[in-house]
Each structure stands twice: as C-alpha cells, then as structure tokens.
Amino acid sequence: MKYHFFLLFVMFSVFGFSQKSKVDFKAIEKSFKNSDSPYKYDKLLFKYKGYPKSLDSIESQYLYYGRNFRSDKVTTSDEAFKRLAEAFKQNNFEECIKLGKALYDKDPTNLDVLLILLRAYDSVKDGNNFMHHLNQFRSLADGIKSSGDGKSEKTAYLVNSVGDEYILLNILNIGSDYTRGSKPSKDGMFDIWEKEDKKIYIKVLYLEL
C-alpha cells in the first residue's frame, strides 16, 4: 500500500522523547468498558476527538492498543476501505474526504484512514482539519513509541497490524536497505529489521480476543 509512504515529511517530526511503559493488555482490556477507570476507552476517545494534544503517552497507549478490543474495527479488506483506497489512488481527494470521514466516524484511531484523510485535507488546503488529524496521528504514534525501544525482543515496539508496522518503519526512517527476519511468538510475530550491526525489533500483535 503505497499510501503509507506519502507523509514522510510529517512522520520525521512525530516522535520525540517519550516515557517507556510496558503495555499491560489485561489492564487495557479491563479498562475498555470500566466506567470507573480513567482509561476507559470511550473517555479517551472523547478526549482524542476533542483535544488530542492533551493526551499523555499512557493515555495514548491505552487508546491505541484498546482498539484491539473493539468489535467494529475497519480493516483494509473491507469494501468501504477499498473504495477509499481507490479514491486515493485516483487522487480524488474530495471523495477521499467523504469516504474517509465515514470510516473515521466508525473507527477513529485507524492509522490507515487517518493518513489518507491527512493527505486529502492537505491537498484541498484544509489546514484546520489537517492539523487536527495530525495531532491525533501524533498521539497514537506516541502510544506506539512508548511501548518499547526496539532494541530487543523484550523491548520491541508493539503494533496492531502489519500496516501500522510499515507506518512505524517510515517514522523510524527504516528503508529498503534493511533486511527483515521474522520469528513467531505466542501472541504475535517478531519482525527483526537489520542493517549491518543495527537491529530494530517490532512485534505485530495477534491478540486472541
């Protein structure tokens, strides 16, 4: 999916220094519907939609990984997403906005949808919507970055999907000069991206929900 690669100028500025915090999936699942939890998914989603810059790295982490516990996620194999991708391919940005907004309303933390909306709003010179979604994207990226440092299996970056992995690779400036090795684990797949003596560990999650 080539659209993963169009926002490099944005992505390079996404990651700053963020506090590392081990992802506790049991706690995230428990908080997902717990109305007493400050990390309840709907509460964080409300904050994310209204003022995404106010999310801290832990809130962003709960929001990004909490998406795994949704039953109505948009996937790249959905017909509606395929129509969005085709509109993007045709540079029909007005249609991208129309279709993308509908998918965003259904699945607001979908990085694929966010990236297409960002490109579309940028193309039609809609700075307000562009900046709002960019801040949302940065918040979710911060959640990914806080999951590890990528230096070992134990501290691998954790991503929800292969698509999100390629978005992360672009942010980290990991290009075609790296080779990939893979190693299965009980709840995902480790991808080890290697160049000379440098290795980056990314774990694609396959959670049994």
Side-chain angles (χ1 to χ4, degrees):
M1 296 180 190
K2 293 182 180 178
Y3 58 83
H4 283 143
F5 299 93
F6 69 78
L7 272 180
L8 295 183
F9 72 98
V10 169
M11 291 180 175
F12 290 143
S13 64
V14 166
F15 282 166
F17 295 100
S18 58
Q19 182 181 356
K20 303 292 183 264
S21 177
K22 186 176 180 181
V23 181
D24 187 338
F25 292 107
K26 288 184 179 179
I28 292 173
E29 183 178 17
K30 187 177 179 181
S31 296
F32 186 79
K33 293 182 178 179
N34 182 359
S35 58
D36 295 328
S37 172
Y39 299 116
K40 184 177 186 292
Y41 188 80
D42 288 344
K43 288 181 182 177
L44 296 179
L45 205 56
F46 182 81
K47 193 173 181 180
Y48 165 85
K49 287 181 176 180
Y51 190 47
K53 290 175 74 173
S54 67
L55 292 164
D56 62 33
S57 61
I58 301 300
E59 290 173 323
S60 295
Q61 195 179 86
Y62 268 69
L63 189 60
Y64 175 74
Y65 297 106
R67 182 174 177 266
N68 287 297
F69 303 101
R70 294 183 61 133
S71 60
D72 57 349
K73 295 188 294 289
V74 172
T75 70
T76 55
S77 61
D78 292 348
E79 288 303 318
F81 184 86
K82 289 179 181 179
R83 290 194 294 272
L84 174 62
E86 182 60 27
F88 177 81
K89 183 179 177 183
Q90 300 297 327
N91 292 327
N92 187 345
F93 297 118
E94 295 287 353
E95 186 70 4
C96 280
I97 291 170
K98 177 184 173 183
L99 298 173
K101 283 172 70 175
L103 293 182
Y104 169 83
D105 287 343
K106 185 177 181 181
D107 189 2
T109 62
N110 186 309
L111 292 182
D112 293 306
V113 173
L114 277 180
L115 284 179
I116 291 178
L117 279 174
L118 279 169
R119 175 62 186 275
Y121 282 126
D122 183 47
S123 297
V124 301
K125 311 302 181 188
D126 185 339
N128 288 334
N129 276 310
F130 177 85
M131 287 307 302
H132 183 66
H133 287 309
L134 178 59
N135 287 328
Q136 291 178 325
F137 182 88
R138 284 175 167 162
S139 292
L140 297 175
D142 188 50
I144 298 173
K145 184 63 183 292
S146 69
S147 69
D149 59 17
K151 293 180 179 179
S152 68
E153 288 185 12
K154 216 175 232 190
T155 62
Y157 293 118
L158 306 178
V159 293
N160 289 337
S161 68
V162 173
D164 288 2
E165 177 180 21
Y166 278 92
I167 291 170
L168 174 63
L169 289 171
N170 275 276
I171 294 170
L172 298 174
N173 197 23
I174 304 299
S176 58
D177 51 340
Y178 281 74
T179 58
R180 183 184 71 176
S182 296
K183 177 182 177 181
S185 71
K186 64 177 182 179
D187 55 355
M189 177 71 73
F190 283 108
D191 282 339
I192 302 97
W193 296 86
E194 190 169 0
K195 176 185 175 183
E196 297 172 353
D197 59 345
K198 184 177 182 180
K199 291 183 179 180
I200 301 291
Y201 292 79
I202 301 174
K203 186 176 183 180
V204 182
L205 299 168
Y206 301 142
L207 300 179
E208 295 181 7
L209 308 179

